[in-house]
Amino acid sequence: MISGQSLASLLLAAIVRAGLYTLTATGLSLIFGVMNVPNFAHGELYMIGAYIAVFSFAGLNLPPLVAILLAAILGFILGAIIEKSFFYPLRQRSKRRKIWIMNTFLVTVGLSLLLKNLIQAIAGTKYRGIDSYWQGGLKVAGISISVDRLVGVAIAAVVVLAFWLFLQKTTIGKAIRATAQDETGAKVVGIDLNNIHTLTFALSAMLASIAGASLLSLNPAYPTMGLMPLFSSWFVVILVGLGNIASIPVGALIISLIETFAAYSVGSGWQRLFSLALIIIILLFKPRGLFGSDVKGVWER
Amino acid sequence: MTKYLEQFKSSKFANPGLILLFILAFVPLFISDQFILQLLISALLFGTLAMAFDFTVGFINVVNFGFAAFWGAGGYTSALLASKLGVSPWIGIFAGLFFSAVLGFLVGLLTLRLHGIFAAVMAWFTGLGLMSIVTNWTSFTRGPLGLMSPMFFDTMDRGPYFYVVLVMAIFSFFALLAIANSRIGLFFKAIGQDEEAAKASGVNPTWYRVLNFTISTAIAGLLGGFYAHYIGILTPDVMKTSQTIEIMALAYVGGRGSIWGPLVAAFFFIPVLTYLQPLMEIRLIIYGLVLIGVMIFYPGGISALYRNLWDRVKA
């Protein structure tokens, strides 16, 4: 049986993981909701965030928060560049929406190859990790919690909350949501779709980049580190329904709880099978995900 | 639509896949270089896998993103039968074919209610699940340590292997082409273009989608068996998503819905990528850029290019 103490530390680990998944899955879901791009290169954006942070924190000795902020800013810029140079021309050239999703799918696959190998050519295959941004730990009721992870979760929570408020309250956020719901309608009321698409991709890259940067002590930077978060964010996004952003934290918590406890009780390696089995069963009975969003703009095909 | 069909039927263009396979049949008579033979075997292997992949994506418009897992499943079935029960590889490969077909049938059923990206993700998740089982069930599959699998032949010569995979490729090519050009192929295309309209015209999408998945994965399973007894050792890496991506890239660049395009693409990409090996990462950076470029500027791929050229020559 699991003792009270290890139960608490497992829960804590699951929450840290959930924070990471929420950040990456939100961006993934947003891109699909607004642009209908199933992004396979999302893990690479996360990886680049980690590299920016490790170079600015361990290389340039910048303070931790500055390093994470830098990762956010550069991630945003990189996202904007990627959108403008790859997806913008593709959108100009493709007329049929049905082909669009499957074509962009391969474009993101190419993008993933491109970014992964570009980083590998520059930085090599070495693992570049840090021990922690912030030293020290807290001891609450016999459970030790490292400050580093606590701050990591706090950053994730603050960013997700701020992002949610941005989508709900600001004019630009409303424009993004409007585009996700009905592209033609958004165009009619005078929203510049090109700008919205670029902004959406940039924001989503920024979220992934922040995730990579703020949990650097947990996952050291290396070129193929993006694969695991990519899998997990797809699990989360499919679980709650593509394009449904509000329910992502719940889905992230479900997936991370399953993974953490399955890894503890049946040994690591098998844990992925549990979340996979769960998602396959859910998809069978609820093809649009657990909380089946009715975001109209999300094309089905 | 009918006009297009008429046009297509009358233009009886020379199928480049056919020409390629015909030339290949004579290659070992002139080339005995083992390295080149190995390259040609890889190209045939991946080209055939890409044809089977195209059979799903180019016709019923579902990306089987867990494709490599079916390939691997066929290989593991044959290798396990051979190493645990001493079954001959020549029988084992058909057991692999059968097992992968059954898996494909089941996954076809699983993805029935799903469309587009949901179906792709479902197939992907099932594939990841299979890979996870093979990786972790170490007492049975030896996991990442690798499962030894007896070879087809006792010789180091690659020639016999070349003919085995060539026969498989020719068989798959004609089988897929025959189905694609039959009424069933037309139903597949109808379902891929508009499932509701297909249903309204009396095509049962359930049956045809499952059938399509079963045929495609059966071929994957057969080639998995070949791979197992050609390489001699299997690790769960054969089921990796990156393998699916490689096959998918060939199918897309070759041109979806043509069957022969992916085969020709394999004979272009696999030698080029092998010869660029010394470039290390740069090689895959170029590869990524080519994929992106093709999708942006010429999403029809090699087969569309060829058809356009052919039309221009004829006109």
Side-chain angles (χ1 to χ4, degrees):
Chain A
M1 275 314 289
I2 307 174
S3 73
Q5 259 186 28
S6 55
L7 181 72
S9 58
L10 275 179
L11 271 177
L12 206 69
I15 290 170
V16 173
R17 226 187 249 233
L20 164 70
Y21 293 170
T22 308
L23 277 177
T24 48
T26 303
L28 195 66
S29 191
L30 190 72
I31 297 181
F32 194 84
V34 176
M35 300 171 64
N36 288 283
V37 172
N39 192 3
F40 198 76
H42 204 62
E44 275 60 48
L45 300 168
Y46 162 89
M47 178 262 300
I48 283 173
Y51 268 101
I52 295 169
V54 82
F55 279 118
S56 43
F57 178 71
L60 303 173
N61 287 317
L62 294 172
L65 277 178
V66 176
I68 295 172
L69 194 67
L70 203 62
I73 294 169
L74 292 177
F76 185 88
I77 295 172
L78 179 74
I81 294 173
I82 289 173
E83 205 284 330
K84 276 281 177 241
S85 43
F86 298 126
F87 296 105
Y88 175 73
L90 184 63
R91 202 167 45 244
Q92 297 310 100
R93 299 178 74 93
S94 66
K95 296 278 175 282
R96 289 173 59 199
R97 16 158 86 174
K98 196 166 184 180
I99 302 289
W100 165 261
I101 292 187
M102 290 304 150
N103 283 4
T104 49
F105 192 28
L106 198 75
V107 169
T108 63
V109 165
L111 202 58
S112 153
L113 272 175
L114 182 72
L115 292 175
K116 216 182 307 185
N117 289 286
L118 206 61
I119 290 293
Q120 196 173 321
I122 297 169
T125 48
K126 219 175 88 186
Y127 282 61
R128 291 168 197 274
I130 56 168
D131 292 334
S132 60
Y133 284 123
W134 293 276
Q135 254 102 45
L138 296 174
K139 243 185 167 10
V140 183
I143 309 150
S144 56
I145 310 164
S146 73
V147 176
D148 193 66
R149 287 186 192 178
L150 222 52
V151 179
V153 174
I155 290 173
V158 168
V159 170
V160 167
L161 201 66
F163 189 69
W164 191 75
L165 284 175
F166 163 77
L167 281 184
Q168 295 295 323
K169 302 288 174 197
T170 64
T171 320
I172 304 172
K174 282 175 186 165
I176 291 180
R177 285 193 298 135
T179 314
Q181 276 171 18
D182 189 337
E183 222 175 63
T184 324
K187 219 192 261 172
V188 168
V189 296
I191 293 171
D192 184 346
L193 289 184
N194 287 333
N195 285 344
I196 291 295
H197 285 159
T198 310
L199 181 69
T200 307
F201 203 92
L203 282 172
S204 142
M206 182 184 85
L207 291 179
S209 188
I210 292 175
S214 54
L215 288 168
L216 189 59
S217 62
L218 216 62
N219 306 304
Y222 58 98
T224 52
M225 72 184 293
L227 202 59
M228 280 315 291
L230 178 79
F231 287 159
S232 308
S233 4
W234 269 107
F235 293 171
V236 173
V237 166
I238 292 290
L239 183 72
V240 300
L242 264 170
N244 182 352
I245 290 172
S247 323
I248 283 180
V250 183
L253 199 61
I254 296 176
I255 294 288
S256 60
L257 278 173
I258 292 173
E259 285 187 357
T260 314
F261 280 92
Y264 178 83
S265 48
V266 291
S268 64
W270 287 105
Q271 85 267 33
R272 208 200 264 167
L273 204 60
F274 279 81
S275 32
L276 280 169
L278 175 80
I279 290 164
I280 289 171
I281 290 166
I282 286 176
L283 270 182
L284 268 183
F285 294 102
K286 302 205 75 171
R288 282 150 188 262
L290 206 52
F291 308 111
S293 74
D294 281 321
V295 184
K296 276 192 195 133
V298 178
W299 305 330
E300 270 204 7
R301 298 169 192 280
Chain B
M1 183 67 204
T2 33
K3 196 182 148 207
Y4 172 73
L5 262 177
E6 289 297 327
Q7 221 176 351
F8 185 76
K9 271 185 187 155
S10 63
S11 77
K12 283 280 178 217
F13 63 102
N15 191 321
L18 196 64
I19 302 167
L20 183 72
L21 287 172
F22 184 74
I23 297 170
L24 280 171
F26 300 100
V27 159
L29 300 180
F30 305 104
I31 295 171
S32 53
D33 187 284
Q34 295 297 309
F35 179 70
I36 292 179
L37 276 179
Q38 227 160 317
L39 260 187
L40 292 175
I41 291 172
S42 295
L44 270 172
L45 178 64
F46 279 94
T48 312
L49 286 169
M51 285 196 286
F53 188 86
D54 180 33
F55 190 67
T56 304
V57 73
F59 288 82
I60 61 167
N61 204 16
V62 174
V63 174
N64 184 354
F65 207 47
F67 194 73
F70 298 100
W71 179 42
Y76 265 102
T77 308
S78 188
L80 283 170
L81 281 176
S83 62
K84 305 258 171 193
L85 302 174
V87 176
S88 149
W90 299 106
I91 297 166
I93 54 173
F94 292 101
L97 177 148
F98 182 72
F99 184 64
S100 284
V102 171
L103 277 179
F105 178 79
L106 294 176
V107 174
L109 283 179
L110 279 181
T111 56
L112 263 186
R113 281 177 70 193
L114 307 171
H115 291 278
I117 196 68
F118 289 92
V121 166
M122 178 65 125
W124 185 31
F125 287 169
T126 334
L128 284 179
L130 272 176
M131 182 178 157
S132 188
I133 292 172
V134 170
T135 314
N136 292 299
W137 195 358
T138 43
S139 58
F140 189 52
T141 63
R142 287 177 44 86
L145 289 174
L147 179 72
M148 298 306 277
S149 154
M151 311 286 278
F152 276 125
F153 306 106
D154 275 337
T155 157
M156 284 305 288
D157 182 21
R158 290 303 180 200
Y161 290 97
F162 176 84
Y163 278 113
V164 172
V165 74
L166 183 68
V167 167
M168 287 179 180
I170 291 173
F171 164 75
S172 312
F173 177 77
F174 282 110
L176 292 176
L177 209 62
I179 299 169
N181 287 335
S182 71
R183 267 179 84 76
I184 298 174
L186 204 62
F187 294 158
F188 286 155
K189 281 226 151 155
I191 292 167
Q193 270 169 19
D194 192 334
E195 195 165 317
E196 290 307 313
K199 229 188 260 174
S201 347
V203 179
N204 178 1
T206 309
W207 158 242
Y208 285 104
R209 277 183 71 159
V210 173
L211 179 71
N212 184 298
F213 253 81
T214 311
I215 295 170
S216 161
T217 53
I219 290 175
L222 179 69
L223 283 142
F226 168 78
Y227 182 78
H229 303 296
Y230 162 65
I231 291 291
I233 184 162
L234 277 182
T235 61
D237 277 1
V238 293
M239 296 190 167
K240 263 174 133 174
T241 308
S242 57
Q243 299 275 8
T244 306
I245 287 174
E246 213 161 302
I247 295 161
M248 178 171 140
L250 292 176
Y252 271 63
V253 173
R256 280 158 287 175
S258 69
I259 304 290
W260 62 264
L263 184 70
V264 174
F267 275 85
F268 177 72
F269 272 101
I270 286 174
V272 168
L273 283 175
T274 310
Y275 279 107
L276 290 183
Q277 206 97 53
L279 285 179
M280 309 280 287
E281 293 89 15
I282 315 275
R283 176 179 78 112
L284 290 170
I285 294 174
I286 298 169
Y287 192 46
L289 281 174
V290 168
L291 289 188
I292 297 171
V294 168
M295 285 341 281
I296 294 178
F297 298 109
Y298 218 90
I302 294 172
S303 69
L305 181 72
Y306 178 80
R307 208 164 287 160
N308 282 347
L309 288 177
W310 184 262
D311 284 348
R312 207 163 292 173
V313 169
K314 265 188 50 166

